Amino acid sequence: MSTTATGSTVTEAVARARTAGAPLTGRRALVTGGSRGLGREIAIAFAAAGADVAIVSRKKDACTGLAAELAEATGRRVTGHGAHVGEWDRLDGLLDEVEDGLGPVDVLVNNAGIAPVYPSLHGVTEELFDKIVSVNLKGPFRMMAVAGRRMAARGGGAMLNISSMASGRPTAGDLPYAAAQ
């Protein structure tokens, strides 16, 4: 049994996050970067509020493991998917896969992101810069385009883009990350 960032089990976190009346019953949420950290907590909160949830990250095993725990703790349909949001051409297929399992996505949470450590600003390679921009900017943009087209055709939905304080207060240690936020 895994624990959350606060050291709680998934079941304990669900009990804390439960809301009266399960306001998200009948909704389906896709959470990128959902296997750990803030994304994990978001996935737990959505399921505790009654939503069915697709958990997405590069680590499929972590996603499917959390999905099983969360489904057991909440009784919701929860699926795990391995995908790299920086791989632009993969995202249509990812959404197809999620919707085949859960139905149409109502809520997109763009949470995946990377903030690698580098020795100096001058030491940031073009390859590293492109990787940061791909995951933190291009990926969320593409996810919004793909999901947004589908949501609009069904009459609407919601998109949440998780950002960082670094976007407003960058330092030399996080400039590429801050720029992509």
Side-chain angles (χ1 to χ4, degrees):
M1 185 169 278
S2 62
T3 59
T4 66
T6 61
S8 313
T9 67
V10 169
T11 302
E12 291 166 341
V14 165
R16 273 197 321 276
R18 287 236 188 246
T19 57
L24 297 178
T25 298
R27 301 290 185 188
R28 291 155 305 274
L30 184 159
V31 181
T32 69
S35 66
R36 62 189 183 104
L38 182 59
R40 177 187 177 95
E41 300 300 323
I42 292 168
I44 289 169
F46 271 85
D52 294 329
V53 180
I55 301 167
V56 178
S57 85
R58 291 175 295 139
K59 298 176 178 146
K60 184 175 183 172
D61 289 346
C63 293
T64 57
L66 176 58
E69 281 186 76
L70 199 46
E72 182 178 333
T74 64
R76 305 306 316 157
R77 291 182 306 154
V78 185
T79 57
H81 307 269
H84 189 300
V85 298
E87 295 175 358
W88 186 284
D89 294 335
R90 166 88 170 90
L91 301 182
D92 270 302
L94 168 63
L95 205 56
D96 290 339
E97 179 183 309
V98 168
E99 291 188 341
D100 285 348
L102 292 180
V105 170
D106 301 298
V107 180
L108 168 65
V109 180
N110 277 319
N111 174 69
I114 58 169
V117 176
Y118 47 86
S120 68
L121 194 54
H122 182 73
V124 175
T125 63
E126 183 175 11
E127 179 182 353
L128 178 59
F129 184 86
D130 289 345
K131 182 178 178 180
I132 294 167
V133 168
S134 180
V135 172
N136 295 351
L137 180 61
K138 286 175 60 179
F141 171 83
R142 183 65 182 157
M143 285 298 298
M144 288 188 298
V146 170
R149 181 184 70 232
R150 295 175 191 209
M151 288 177 183
R154 294 189 298 268
M159 295 183 201
L160 307 170
N161 293 305
I162 307 303
S163 189
S164 166
M165 295 289 292
S167 64
R169 297 176 93 49
T171 67
D174 60 16
L175 281 176
Y177 171 76
Q181 290 292 302

